[in-house]
Amino acid sequence: MRRRAILMTTTAVAVAVLILGIPGAIFACVLIWVQTVSDLSLRAYSVASMVDRFSTQETRVGTRLLRTLAANSRNPTRIEVRYGDGTIVSSGPPLDGATVSRIAASTQTNAAVSVSTPTTAIGLDIALTVVAALLLIAVAFLVGLAVAKSQSRKLSAPLIYLAASAEQLGAGQVRPQMKPTGIEEIDLVTQELERTADRMAGRIAAERQFAADAAHQLRTPLTALSMRIEEIQLMATDEDLAQEASLALEQIDRLSQVVTELMATSQAQSGGTTEAVQISDVFAQQDAEWNKMFARAKRKIVFVDDAGGAVLATPGSLSQILATLIENSLKYGAGFTEVSAKRIGKTIQFKIQDEGAGIDPENAETIFDKGFSTGESTGIGLAVAKELANADGGRLELTNAAHAGFTLTLSAMPLALDPDKVLPPGAVLTVGSRRHRR
């Protein structure tokens, strides 16, 4: 792609430069020749006019005057005045070889004025003009080549990122990360890829939850049936009946294993562990875990859910990221701690911030590095949290160093693909609710 873009651009530049440069060089050469001949003619008529003026005073032009007129020319010039009586007055170097001459006649003295210049001087001017034109053409071509390389990089890089985003989508990444390129066609493909990723993520989440609930609903009657058959086996006095009950139990166990294998296969083909997680359930779980600890430290933590709905994330990863940030706020922060969730476009932003002294600006760039710690911790908590966020197609950033404000950005569950809307009521249970019931 990049080579093709460079070839196309340089070809267009070369054609434009040649179409404009070669005729321009020819025109410049012709213009030099015409200008030189015109200058010789003008100079000849000028000398003839002087001869006429001198004749009115009954004198003739002198060599010194002719020398001055000849010296004013850029090229070597010889001026010769031939009077009717045969007298010749001339100035300038003798010219050998081919020359270009222009002759003018004096109207009063019958004198002939000849102004000549060597053709080699004109040829030298034309050669210099051609060389300058060729240099300009070469410079224009090199500039065009440099611009072509630069533009090809700008064009090929977004395509490479687009291919990487498509690969992430195929690998199960629910939110390919790609910034706008400014190229309308590529941005349209990127937006469609993001919409496709959202639709796929929503459907995958709905299918996985439906499969999990279906398996859960199957396990319950299978367990009850297994218990009834075990009772029949224990109460049976006939050996044949007890044997049939034992065979039935084996079939039930085999069916239970099939359900478990189907669940494992469904999860493996889903492309990862990302699910639709209800934000309210996550906040409820975190509040129950940390509220008492903050109270013992005589501090307060508040969870504010302004987003509503679900976020696409791995439930365990999301809980671990929030727990890491809340624990850091409890250890190193001070005052009031707020954990909020807000929907921004197609994303959900979780913000964790307290009223502490914040983070030293010198450490802002290295706070997510493994092993970095300002206290007695191991320094891997934030690094792991950032990796977990990246694995779910999101990002974890330090957005307010003054008050240790962190922002976790994840993909929001598309409203049109909410499991409660895609599937019939009661068919799908949220991950959080299902785990609480178990």
Side-chain angles (χ1 to χ4, degrees):
M1 175 64 189
R2 185 178 176 186
R3 290 182 179 179
R4 186 173 299 176
I6 294 175
L7 180 61
M8 292 174 60
T9 306
T10 52
T11 301
V13 171
V15 170
V17 168
L18 292 178
I19 289 177
L20 296 177
I22 293 178
I26 295 174
F27 177 77
C29 294
V30 173
L31 184 63
I32 290 173
W33 179 271
V34 172
Q35 184 68 29
T36 303
V37 172
S38 176
D39 182 64
L40 292 175
S41 298
L42 182 61
R43 194 176 296 274
Y45 283 115
S46 177
V47 174
S49 178
M50 289 183 181
V51 170
D52 288 340
R53 287 200 301 270
F54 275 84
S55 67
T56 59
Q57 301 174 5
E58 297 182 356
T59 60
R60 296 182 177 185
V61 295
T63 304
R64 179 180 298 179
L65 176 60
L66 295 181
R67 187 183 302 114
T68 302
L69 293 174
N72 292 333
S73 179
R74 185 169 61 87
N75 294 327
T77 303
R78 180 174 180 81
I79 302 175
E80 186 176 280
V81 180
R82 185 182 299 272
Y83 287 95
D85 59 0
T87 303
I88 298 176
V89 180
S90 63
S91 178
L95 301 179
D96 298 329
T99 60
V100 177
S101 302
R102 283 296 178 267
I103 300 175
S106 173
T107 59
Q108 296 182 7
T109 62
N110 196 25
V113 178
S114 173
V115 181
S116 305
T117 189
T119 56
T120 55
I122 303 176
L124 180 60
D125 291 340
I126 292 176
L128 292 176
T129 302
V130 171
V131 171
L134 292 177
L135 289 177
L136 290 175
I137 291 175
V139 170
F141 183 78
L142 292 177
V143 172
L145 181 61
V147 173
K149 289 183 177 180
S150 175
Q151 294 299 321
S152 67
R153 282 194 295 268
K154 292 181 180 179
L155 182 63
S156 62
L159 292 176
I160 295 174
Y161 295 146
L162 187 63
S165 298
E167 183 179 359
Q168 290 178 0
L169 180 61
Q173 187 71 274
V174 297
R175 185 174 176 268
Q177 299 179 0
M178 186 171 178
K179 297 180 180 179
T181 62
I183 303 175
E184 183 180 0
E185 293 78 5
I186 296 179
D187 288 341
L188 288 175
V189 176
T190 302
Q191 293 171 6
E192 184 58 35
L193 190 63
E194 291 177 350
R195 287 193 290 270
T196 301
D198 290 339
R199 289 194 294 268
M200 289 180 60
R203 288 170 181 164
I204 288 173
E207 291 174 1
R208 293 184 63 186
Q209 293 181 24
F210 178 78
D213 289 315
H216 179 74
Q217 297 298 329
L218 283 173
R219 287 194 186 99
T220 301
L222 286 175
T223 302
L225 182 61
S226 177
M227 293 176 62
R228 295 295 298 274
I229 294 179
E230 286 179 354
E231 291 179 359
I232 293 174
Q233 184 182 26
L234 293 174
M235 296 174 60
T237 57
D238 188 353
E239 292 184 0
D240 292 337
L241 181 60
Q243 186 176 2
E244 290 296 329
S246 177
L247 294 175
L249 288 174
E250 291 179 1
Q251 294 294 331
I252 293 173
D253 291 340
R254 187 177 295 110
L255 182 58
S256 298
Q257 292 178 359
V258 169
V259 171
T260 302
E261 290 175 359
L262 287 176
M263 274 296 300
T265 302
S266 174
Q267 292 180 354
Q269 293 177 350
S270 297
T273 57
T274 304
E275 300 180 10
V277 183
Q278 290 293 337
I279 299 174
S280 58
D281 294 339
V282 175
F283 277 6
Q285 184 265 333
Q286 295 292 327
D287 183 62
E289 181 177 350
W290 294 101
N291 204 306
K292 293 182 179 179
M293 295 184 184
F294 273 80
R296 285 197 296 267
K298 297 181 180 181
R299 292 176 57 188
K300 186 177 181 180
I301 183 171
V302 174
F303 294 84
V304 180
D305 181 11
D306 291 332
V311 63
L312 293 174
T314 303
S317 298
L318 178 57
S319 298
Q320 183 174 345
I321 295 171
L322 293 178
T324 299
L325 298 175
I326 294 172
E327 182 181 6
N328 286 345
S329 176
L330 179 61
K331 284 184 177 180
Y332 308 113
F336 179 80
T337 297
E338 180 181 88
V339 182
S340 62
K342 186 177 182 180
R343 188 183 184 101
I344 306 294
K346 298 180 181 180
T347 64
I348 299 293
Q349 288 189 352
F350 295 88
K351 292 185 178 294
I352 298 90
Q353 185 170 310
D354 56 47
E355 299 175 331
I359 298 173
D360 191 339
E362 296 180 355
N363 300 328
E365 298 294 333
T366 58
I367 193 171
F368 292 105
D369 294 345
K370 287 186 178 181
F372 175 82
S373 175
T374 57
E376 298 179 355
S377 63
T378 58
I380 63 172
L382 287 176
V384 173
K386 187 175 181 67
E387 292 177 358
L388 292 175
N390 293 337
D392 280 344
R395 62 181 183 274
L396 178 61
E397 302 169 297
L398 174 65
T399 53
N400 187 351
H403 296 288
F406 291 87
T407 300
L408 170 65
T409 304
L410 294 170
S411 292
M413 182 72 179
L415 298 177
L417 295 176
D418 192 296
D420 294 333
K421 298 179 180 180
V422 175
L423 298 178
V428 178
L429 301 174
T430 63
V431 175
S433 300
R434 184 171 71 248
R435 293 192 176 189
H436 282 307
R437 276 203 311 272
R438 290 180 181 176

